[in-house]
Amino acid sequence: MNDYSNDVKKAYILFNSPRRLIGVKFLREEEQYRSYSGIEPQKPLSYCVAVKSASLGHRLKMNLKNSGCGGSTRALGLEKPSEEFLSGESPFKLGLYKSREVARQAALQTQNLTEDIYGLIIRPIEFFEEEPPDVVLVIGQPRDLMRILQGYAYHYGIDKQISMSGNQGICVEATAYPFLHRKPNISLLCSGTRFLADWAQTEMVMGIPIQLFSQIVDGFLQTVNAVEPDDRKSEIERKFMEQGLECITMDYGRTYYTEYEREKREKRKADQARAQ
């Protein structure tokens, strides 16, 4: 857990999210669920609202009895998808698809956990003392999530499997998909969670499977010199020192895009000189 704790410290410095980073853990047994502390909703609560609460620092635990959203209950393995969902009938009735066939295809492509899950632990990532979560959720602005994706690309290149529909943003796109495929996924959120959890219009979410968390944090750090302006480099360097963390050597006064613009200017000057 020491490596995980250090990665958590680095992530909070690098990811620049105004909210707490959220960990989600899937539990298959009731006894395991009971062993975790956390606030259990006293009445049905939507999963995305629980995530919003965790982003503010709260520790929650949920199971089928207090899950208040059919979509997330199904997506997170707390109950099996109904025939009405799989046939496309219920998605079609919502008015989200032009036909039952399109709705059926969307339902079949929706990433739902098929294994039996008893409950979920949802809390800030630094509060996972026993073992790391299964998925890390980062709520942030587009640039912040861009940088996280660059951290992934540093180690793995282009991810060709991003999955988005604008529906079931927190439960499917940011949680179930990363857990099932061990791939990061970005979500623009969905109308339901924007209404229920009242996210800011500029907020979006990335889900990171725990298997890639350390590599993405490292990739983010390794690309700081390439893309971050000097004030951000200085802030990162200072905070790493304060936390006693090993940092890269900062290369001030340079980024790849400012160097590229400099080269273009020099080339234009050279071309103009040759033309005279």
Side-chain angles (χ1 to χ4, degrees):
M1 285 294 291
N2 187 55
D3 289 342
Y4 172 73
S5 298
N6 284 335
D7 289 335
V8 167
K9 294 175 184 177
K10 293 175 184 178
Y12 269 110
I13 295 169
L14 296 169
F15 290 1
N16 204 37
S17 172
R19 297 185 180 277
R20 305 288 273 274
L21 307 178
I22 306 123
V24 180
K25 189 160 192 65
F26 295 94
L27 303 178
R28 293 160 181 81
E29 303 294 336
E30 181 178 359
E31 183 178 352
Q32 187 184 21
Y33 177 80
R34 293 186 181 281
S35 71
Y36 277 83
S37 62
I39 301 169
E40 282 193 278
Q42 297 304 300
K43 58 182 180 179
L45 183 72
S46 294
Y47 168 69
C48 61
V49 176
V51 168
K52 173 74 173 289
S53 181
S55 78
L56 300 175
H58 302 132
R59 309 183 192 202
L60 297 95
K61 52 193 293 188
M62 298 180 65
N63 59 19
L64 180 60
K65 292 186 292 185
N66 49 44
S67 178
C69 169
S72 61
T73 301
R74 175 182 63 241
L76 302 174
L78 297 175
E79 66 179 2
K80 301 297 183 185
S82 68
E83 181 56 36
E84 187 179 24
F85 171 78
L86 294 174
S87 69
E89 185 64 24
S90 57
F92 176 69
K93 287 179 179 178
L94 296 176
L96 294 172
Y97 303 99
K98 73 173 185 178
S99 66
R100 287 177 175 80
E101 178 56 25
V102 173
R104 185 180 75 85
Q105 291 299 326
L108 294 176
Q109 293 169 11
T110 298
Q111 303 297 304
N112 297 311
L113 272 68
T114 56
E115 58 183 305
D116 292 329
I117 300 298
Y118 182 83
L120 306 166
I121 304 302
I122 310 157
R123 57 175 62 168
I125 59 174
E126 66 270 27
F127 293 155
F128 280 85
E129 298 94 355
E130 303 91 347
E131 55 183 348
D134 294 310
V135 178
V136 173
L137 303 180
V138 186
I139 310 293
Q141 303 294 314
R143 187 189 186 280
D144 301 325
L145 301 194
M146 173 199 76
R147 286 292 292 119
I148 298 172
L149 195 58
Q150 288 175 337
Y152 171 85
Y154 177 83
H155 284 289
Y156 303 104
I158 294 174
D159 188 346
K160 300 178 181 179
Q161 297 179 327
I162 296 294
S163 176
M164 290 191 292
S165 69
N167 296 317
Q168 294 192 250
I170 297 285
C171 59
V172 169
E173 294 180 344
T175 306
Y177 186 94
F179 179 72
L180 288 169
H181 294 276
R182 297 192 176 184
K183 292 275 190 178
N185 203 45
I186 290 178
S187 175
L188 304 178
L189 302 178
C190 63
S191 300
T193 191
R194 288 192 180 278
F195 171 72
L196 292 170
D198 193 28
W199 304 104
Q201 290 190 13
T202 54
E203 286 183 305
M204 48 195 299
V205 61
M206 176 178 282
I208 301 171
I210 194 60
Q211 295 86 352
L212 298 182
F213 181 60
S214 293
Q215 289 292 81
I216 288 176
V217 170
D218 178 71
F220 193 122
L221 179 60
Q222 299 303 326
T223 54
V224 164
N225 278 328
V227 301
E228 297 290 0
D230 281 359
D231 60 344
R232 184 76 176 109
K233 289 176 183 176
S234 178
E235 178 186 29
I236 291 169
E237 186 174 36
R238 174 179 58 79
K239 288 184 176 180
F240 267 62
M241 290 180 63
E242 290 173 352
Q243 294 280 345
L245 299 168
E246 185 176 350
C247 190
I248 62 171
T249 300
M250 293 298 177
D251 187 7
Y252 289 99
R254 298 164 59 95
T255 62
Y256 84 82
Y257 46 88
T258 55
E259 288 300 295
Y260 180 56
E261 289 301 311
R262 181 185 61 78
E263 291 171 3
K264 287 195 296 182
R265 288 194 300 270
E266 291 177 354
K267 184 178 184 303
R268 285 196 295 269
K269 289 178 182 179
D271 290 344
Q272 290 169 0
R274 283 194 295 267
Q276 291 175 355

Coordinates of all heavy atoms in Angstrom, one line a residue, residues 23-28 45-51 61-64 66-81 85 110-122 134-135 137 168-180:
G23 N -12.5 6.7 -5.2 CA -12.3 5.2 -5.4 C -13.6 4.5 -5.3 O -14.4 4.8 -4.4
V24 N -13.7 3.5 -6.2 CA -14.9 2.6 -6.1 C -14.4 1.1 -6.0 O -13.6 0.7 -6.8 CB -15.8 2.8 -7.4 CG1 -17.0 1.8 -7.3 CG2 -16.2 4.2 -7.5
K25 N -14.9 0.4 -5.0 CA -14.5 -1.0 -4.9 C -15.8 -1.9 -5.0 O -16.8 -1.6 -4.3 CB -13.8 -1.2 -3.6 CG -13.2 -2.6 -3.5 CD -12.1 -2.6 -2.4 CE -11.3 -3.9 -2.6 NZ -10.5 -4.0 -3.8
F26 N -15.7 -2.9 -5.7 CA -16.7 -3.9 -5.9 C -16.6 -5.0 -4.9 O -15.5 -5.6 -4.8 CB -16.8 -4.5 -7.3 CG -17.1 -3.4 -8.4 CD1 -16.1 -2.8 -9.0 CD2 -18.4 -3.1 -8.7 CE1 -16.4 -1.8 -10.0 CE2 -18.7 -2.2 -9.6 CZ -17.7 -1.5 -10.3
L27 N -17.6 -5.3 -4.2 CA -17.5 -6.4 -3.2 C -18.6 -7.5 -3.5 O -19.7 -7.2 -3.8 CB -17.8 -5.9 -1.8 CG -16.9 -4.7 -1.3 CD1 -17.3 -4.2 0.1 CD2 -15.4 -5.2 -1.3
R28 N -18.1 -8.7 -3.5 CA -19.0 -9.8 -3.9 C -19.7 -10.6 -2.8 O -20.6 -11.3 -3.0 CB -18.1 -10.8 -4.7 CG -17.7 -10.2 -6.0 CD -16.5 -10.9 -6.6 NE -16.0 -10.3 -7.9 CZ -15.3 -9.2 -8.0 NH1 -14.9 -8.7 -6.8 NH2 -14.9 -8.7 -9.1
L45 N -30.7 5.8 -3.0 CA -29.8 6.9 -3.5 C -29.2 6.4 -4.8 O -28.8 5.3 -5.0 CB -28.7 7.1 -2.5 CG -27.7 8.3 -2.8 CD1 -28.5 9.6 -2.6 CD2 -26.5 8.2 -1.9
S46 N -29.2 7.4 -5.8 CA -28.5 7.1 -7.0 C -27.0 7.0 -6.9 O -26.4 7.8 -6.1 CB -28.8 8.2 -8.1 OG -30.2 8.2 -8.4
Y47 N -26.4 6.1 -7.6 CA -24.9 5.9 -7.5 C -24.2 7.2 -7.8 O -23.2 7.5 -7.1 CB -24.5 4.8 -8.5 CG -23.1 4.6 -8.7 CD1 -22.2 4.2 -7.7 CD2 -22.5 5.0 -9.9 CE1 -20.8 4.1 -7.9 CE2 -21.1 4.9 -10.2 CZ -20.3 4.4 -9.1 OH -18.9 4.3 -9.4
C48 N -24.6 7.9 -8.8 CA -23.9 9.1 -9.2 C -23.9 10.2 -8.1 O -23.0 11.0 -7.9 CB -24.4 9.6 -10.5 SG -26.1 10.1 -10.6
V49 N -25.0 10.2 -7.3 CA -25.1 11.1 -6.2 C -24.2 10.7 -5.1 O -23.5 11.5 -4.4 CB -26.6 11.2 -5.7 CG1 -26.7 12.1 -4.5 CG2 -27.5 11.7 -6.8
A50 N -24.0 9.4 -4.9 CA -23.0 8.9 -4.0 C -21.6 9.3 -4.4 O -20.8 9.6 -3.6 CB -23.2 7.4 -3.8
V51 N -21.3 9.2 -5.7 CA -20.0 9.6 -6.2 C -19.8 11.1 -5.9 O -18.7 11.5 -5.5 CB -19.9 9.3 -7.7 CG1 -18.7 10.0 -8.3 CG2 -19.8 7.8 -7.9
K61 N -21.2 3.4 1.4 CA -21.3 2.0 1.0 C -22.7 1.8 0.5 O -23.7 2.3 1.1 CB -20.9 1.1 2.1 CG -21.5 1.3 3.4 CD -20.9 0.5 4.5 CE -21.0 -1.0 4.4 NZ -20.5 -1.7 5.7
M62 N -22.9 1.1 -0.6 CA -24.2 0.9 -1.2 C -24.4 -0.6 -1.6 O -23.4 -1.2 -2.0 CB -24.4 1.7 -2.4 CG -24.4 3.2 -2.1 SD -24.6 4.2 -3.7 CE -26.3 3.7 -4.0
N63 N -25.6 -1.1 -1.5 CA -26.0 -2.4 -2.1 C -27.3 -2.3 -2.7 O -27.9 -1.2 -2.9 CB -25.9 -3.5 -1.0 CG -26.9 -3.2 0.2 OD1 -27.8 -2.4 0.0 ND2 -26.6 -3.8 1.3
L64 N -27.9 -3.4 -3.1 CA -29.1 -3.4 -3.8 C -30.2 -2.7 -3.0 O -31.1 -2.0 -3.6 CB -29.5 -4.8 -4.2 CG -30.8 -5.0 -5.0 CD1 -30.8 -4.3 -6.3 CD2 -31.1 -6.5 -5.2
N66 N -30.3 -0.2 -1.1 CA -30.4 1.3 -1.0 C -29.9 1.9 -2.4 O -29.6 3.1 -2.4 CB -29.5 1.8 0.1 CG -28.2 1.2 0.2 OD1 -27.5 1.1 -0.8 ND2 -27.8 0.8 1.4
S67 N -29.8 1.1 -3.4 CA -29.5 1.7 -4.7 C -30.8 2.2 -5.4 O -31.7 1.5 -5.6 CB -28.9 0.6 -5.6 OG -28.6 1.1 -6.9
G68 N -30.8 3.5 -5.7 CA -32.0 4.2 -6.1 C -32.1 4.5 -7.6 O -32.9 5.3 -8.0
C69 N -31.3 3.9 -8.4 CA -31.3 4.1 -9.8 C -31.2 2.8 -10.6 O -30.2 2.0 -10.4 CB -30.1 5.0 -10.2 SG -29.8 5.1 -12.0
G70 N -32.2 2.5 -11.4 CA -32.2 1.2 -12.1 C -31.0 1.0 -13.0 O -30.5 -0.1 -13.2
G71 N -30.6 2.1 -13.7 CA -29.5 2.0 -14.6 C -28.2 1.6 -13.9 O -27.5 0.8 -14.4
S72 N -27.9 2.3 -12.8 CA -26.6 2.0 -12.1 C -26.7 0.6 -11.4 O -25.7 -0.1 -11.3 CB -26.2 3.1 -11.2 OG -27.2 3.3 -10.2
T73 N -27.9 0.3 -10.9 CA -28.1 -1.0 -10.2 C -27.8 -2.1 -11.2 O -27.1 -3.1 -10.9 CB -29.5 -1.1 -9.7 OG1 -29.8 -0.1 -8.8 CG2 -29.7 -2.5 -9.0
R74 N -28.2 -2.0 -12.4 CA -27.9 -2.9 -13.5 C -26.5 -2.9 -13.9 O -25.8 -3.9 -14.0 CB -28.9 -2.7 -14.7 CG -28.7 -3.5 -15.9 CD -29.6 -3.1 -17.0 NE -29.3 -1.7 -17.4 CZ -30.2 -0.8 -17.4 NH1 -31.4 -0.9 -16.9 NH2 -29.9 0.4 -17.8
A75 N -26.0 -1.7 -14.2 CA -24.6 -1.5 -14.7 C -23.6 -2.1 -13.8 O -22.5 -2.6 -14.2 CB -24.4 -0.1 -15.0
L76 N -23.8 -1.9 -12.5 CA -22.7 -2.3 -11.5 C -22.9 -3.7 -10.9 O -22.2 -4.0 -9.9 CB -22.7 -1.2 -10.4 CG -22.5 0.2 -10.9 CD1 -22.6 1.2 -9.8 CD2 -21.1 0.4 -11.6
G77 N -23.7 -4.5 -11.5 CA -23.8 -5.9 -11.1 C -24.6 -6.2 -9.9 O -24.6 -7.3 -9.4
L78 N -25.4 -5.2 -9.4 CA -26.2 -5.4 -8.2 C -27.5 -6.2 -8.6 O -28.1 -6.9 -7.7 CB -26.6 -4.1 -7.6 CG -25.4 -3.3 -7.0 CD1 -25.9 -1.9 -6.5 CD2 -24.7 -4.0 -5.9
E79 N -27.9 -6.2 -9.9 CA -29.0 -7.0 -10.3 C -28.8 -7.3 -11.8 O -28.1 -6.5 -12.5 CB -30.4 -6.4 -10.0 CG -30.7 -5.2 -10.8 CD -32.1 -4.7 -10.5 OE1 -32.8 -5.3 -9.6 OE2 -32.5 -3.6 -11.1
K80 N -29.4 -8.3 -12.4 CA -29.2 -8.6 -13.8 C -30.1 -7.7 -14.7 O -31.2 -7.2 -14.2 CB -29.7 -10.1 -14.0 CG -28.9 -11.1 -13.2 CD -27.4 -11.1 -13.6 CE -26.7 -12.2 -12.8 NZ -25.2 -12.1 -13.1
P81 N -29.6 -7.4 -15.9 CA -30.4 -6.6 -16.8 C -31.8 -7.3 -17.1 O -31.8 -8.5 -17.3 CB -29.6 -6.5 -18.1 CG -28.2 -6.8 -17.6 CD -28.3 -7.7 -16.5
F85 N -35.0 -4.2 -20.8 CA -33.9 -3.4 -21.2 C -33.1 -4.0 -22.4 O -32.8 -3.3 -23.3 CB -32.9 -3.3 -20.0 CG -31.6 -2.7 -20.3 CD1 -31.5 -1.3 -20.5 CD2 -30.5 -3.5 -20.5 CE1 -30.2 -0.7 -20.8 CE2 -29.2 -2.9 -20.8 CZ -29.1 -1.5 -21.0
T110 N -24.1 -1.8 -24.1 CA -23.9 -1.1 -22.8 C -23.1 -2.1 -21.9 O -23.4 -3.2 -21.8 CB -25.2 -0.8 -22.2 OG1 -25.9 0.1 -23.0 CG2 -25.0 -0.1 -20.8
Q111 N -22.0 -1.5 -21.3 CA -21.1 -2.3 -20.5 C -21.7 -2.5 -19.1 O -21.4 -1.7 -18.2 CB -19.7 -1.7 -20.5 CG -19.2 -1.4 -21.8 CD -18.9 -2.7 -22.6 OE1 -18.2 -3.6 -22.1 NE2 -19.5 -2.9 -23.8
N112 N -22.4 -3.6 -18.9 CA -23.0 -3.9 -17.6 C -22.1 -5.1 -17.0 O -21.7 -6.0 -17.7 CB -24.4 -4.4 -17.7 CG -25.3 -3.3 -18.2 OD1 -25.3 -2.2 -17.7 ND2 -26.2 -3.6 -19.2
L113 N -21.9 -5.0 -15.7 CA -21.2 -6.1 -15.0 C -22.2 -7.3 -15.0 O -23.3 -7.2 -14.6 CB -20.8 -5.8 -13.6 CG -19.4 -5.1 -13.4 CD1 -19.4 -3.7 -14.1 CD2 -19.1 -5.0 -12.0
T114 N -21.7 -8.5 -15.4 CA -22.5 -9.6 -15.4 C -22.3 -10.5 -14.2 O -23.1 -11.4 -14.0 CB -22.3 -10.5 -16.7 OG1 -20.9 -10.8 -16.8 CG2 -22.6 -9.7 -18.0
E115 N -21.3 -10.3 -13.5 CA -21.1 -11.1 -12.2 C -21.9 -10.5 -11.1 O -22.3 -9.3 -11.1 CB -19.6 -11.1 -11.8 CG -19.0 -9.7 -11.6 CD -17.5 -9.8 -11.3 OE1 -17.1 -10.5 -10.4 OE2 -16.7 -9.1 -12.0
D116 N -22.2 -11.3 -10.1 CA -23.0 -10.9 -9.0 C -22.1 -10.0 -8.0 O -21.1 -10.5 -7.5 CB -23.5 -12.1 -8.2 CG -24.5 -12.9 -9.0 OD1 -25.2 -12.2 -9.8 OD2 -24.6 -14.1 -8.9
I117 N -22.5 -8.8 -7.8 CA -21.9 -7.9 -6.9 C -22.8 -7.6 -5.7 O -24.0 -7.3 -5.9 CB -21.6 -6.5 -7.6 CG1 -20.6 -6.8 -8.8 CG2 -21.0 -5.5 -6.6 CD1 -19.3 -7.3 -8.4
Y118 N -22.3 -7.8 -4.5 CA -23.2 -7.6 -3.3 C -23.3 -6.1 -3.0 O -24.3 -5.6 -2.7 CB -22.7 -8.3 -2.1 CG -23.6 -8.1 -0.9 CD1 -24.7 -8.9 -0.8 CD2 -23.3 -7.1 0.0 CE1 -25.6 -8.6 0.3 CE2 -24.2 -6.9 1.1 CZ -25.3 -7.6 1.2 OH -26.2 -7.4 2.2
G119 N -22.1 -5.4 -3.1 CA -22.2 -4.0 -2.7 C -20.9 -3.2 -3.2 O -20.0 -3.8 -3.8
L120 N -21.0 -1.9 -3.0 CA -19.9 -1.0 -3.5 C -19.4 -0.1 -2.3 O -20.2 0.3 -1.5 CB -20.5 -0.1 -4.5 CG -21.2 -0.7 -5.7 CD1 -22.0 0.4 -6.5 CD2 -20.2 -1.4 -6.6
I121 N -18.1 0.1 -2.3 CA -17.5 1.1 -1.4 C -17.1 2.3 -2.3 O -16.4 2.1 -3.3 CB -16.3 0.5 -0.7 CG1 -16.7 -0.8 0.0 CG2 -15.7 1.5 0.2 CD1 -17.7 -0.6 1.1
I122 N -17.6 3.5 -1.9 CA -17.4 4.7 -2.6 C -16.8 5.7 -1.7 O -17.5 6.2 -0.8 CB -18.7 5.2 -3.3 CG1 -19.4 4.0 -4.0 CG2 -18.5 6.4 -4.2 CD1 -20.9 4.3 -4.2
D134 N -11.0 -0.5 -7.0 CA -11.0 -1.2 -8.3 C -10.9 -0.1 -9.4 O -10.3 -0.4 -10.5 CB -12.2 -2.1 -8.5 CG -12.2 -3.3 -7.6 OD1 -11.1 -3.9 -7.5 OD2 -13.2 -3.5 -6.9
V135 N -11.6 1.0 -9.2 CA -11.6 2.1 -10.2 C -11.4 3.4 -9.5 O -11.9 3.6 -8.4 CB -13.0 2.1 -11.0 CG1 -13.1 3.2 -12.0 CG2 -13.2 0.8 -11.7
L137 N -12.1 7.5 -10.0 CA -12.9 8.4 -10.8 C -12.3 9.8 -10.6 O -12.1 10.2 -9.4 CB -14.4 8.4 -10.4 CG -15.1 7.1 -10.5 CD1 -16.5 7.3 -10.0 CD2 -15.0 6.6 -11.9
Q168 N -25.8 7.2 -19.1 CA -25.2 6.4 -18.0 C -23.7 6.8 -17.9 O -22.8 5.9 -17.9 CB -25.4 4.9 -18.2 CG -26.9 4.5 -18.2 CD -27.1 3.0 -18.1 OE1 -27.5 2.4 -19.0 NE2 -26.8 2.5 -16.9
G169 N -23.5 8.1 -17.7 CA -22.1 8.6 -17.7 C -21.2 8.1 -16.6 O -20.1 7.7 -16.8
I170 N -21.7 8.2 -15.3 CA -20.9 7.8 -14.2 C -20.9 6.3 -14.0 O -19.8 5.7 -13.8 CB -21.5 8.5 -12.9 CG1 -21.4 10.0 -13.0 CG2 -20.7 8.0 -11.7 CD1 -20.0 10.6 -12.8
C171 N -22.0 5.7 -14.1 CA -22.1 4.2 -13.8 C -21.5 3.3 -14.9 O -20.7 2.4 -14.6 CB -23.5 3.8 -13.4 SG -24.7 4.1 -14.8
V172 N -21.9 3.6 -16.1 CA -21.4 2.7 -17.2 C -20.1 3.2 -17.7 O -19.0 2.5 -17.7 CB -22.4 2.6 -18.3 CG1 -21.8 2.0 -19.6 CG2 -23.6 1.8 -17.9
E173 N -20.1 4.5 -18.2 CA -18.9 5.0 -19.0 C -17.7 5.2 -18.1 O -16.6 4.9 -18.5 CB -19.3 6.3 -19.7 CG -20.3 6.1 -20.8 CD -20.7 7.4 -21.5 OE1 -20.4 8.5 -21.0 OE2 -21.3 7.3 -22.6
A174 N -17.9 5.6 -16.9 CA -16.7 5.9 -16.0 C -16.4 4.8 -15.0 O -15.3 4.8 -14.5 CB -17.0 7.3 -15.3
T175 N -17.3 3.9 -14.8 CA -17.1 2.9 -13.7 C -17.0 1.5 -14.3 O -16.0 0.8 -14.2 CB -18.1 3.0 -12.6 OG1 -18.1 4.3 -12.1 CG2 -17.7 2.0 -11.5
A176 N -18.2 1.1 -14.9 CA -18.2 -0.3 -15.4 C -17.3 -0.6 -16.5 O -16.6 -1.6 -16.6 CB -19.7 -0.6 -15.8
Y177 N -17.2 0.3 -17.5 CA -16.3 0.1 -18.7 C -14.9 0.0 -18.2 O -14.2 -0.9 -18.6 CB -16.5 1.2 -19.7 CG -15.8 1.0 -21.0 CD1 -16.4 0.4 -22.0 CD2 -14.4 1.4 -21.1 CE1 -15.7 0.1 -23.2 CE2 -13.7 1.2 -22.3 CZ -14.4 0.5 -23.3 OH -13.7 0.3 -24.5
P178 N -14.3 0.9 -17.5 CA -12.9 0.8 -17.0 C -12.7 -0.5 -16.2 O -11.6 -1.1 -16.4 CB -12.6 2.0 -16.2 CG -13.6 3.0 -16.7 CD -14.8 2.2 -17.0
F179 N -13.6 -0.9 -15.4 CA -13.5 -2.1 -14.6 C -13.4 -3.3 -15.5 O -12.6 -4.2 -15.3 CB -14.6 -2.2 -13.6 CG -14.5 -3.4 -12.7 CD1 -13.6 -3.5 -11.7 CD2 -15.5 -4.4 -12.9 CE1 -13.5 -4.7 -10.9 CE2 -15.4 -5.6 -12.1 CZ -14.4 -5.7 -11.1
L180 N -14.3 -3.4 -16.5 CA -14.4 -4.6 -17.3 C -13.3 -4.7 -18.3 O -12.8 -5.8 -18.6 CB -15.8 -4.6 -18.1 CG -17.0 -4.8 -17.2 CD1 -18.3 -4.5 -18.0 CD2 -17.1 -6.3 -16.8

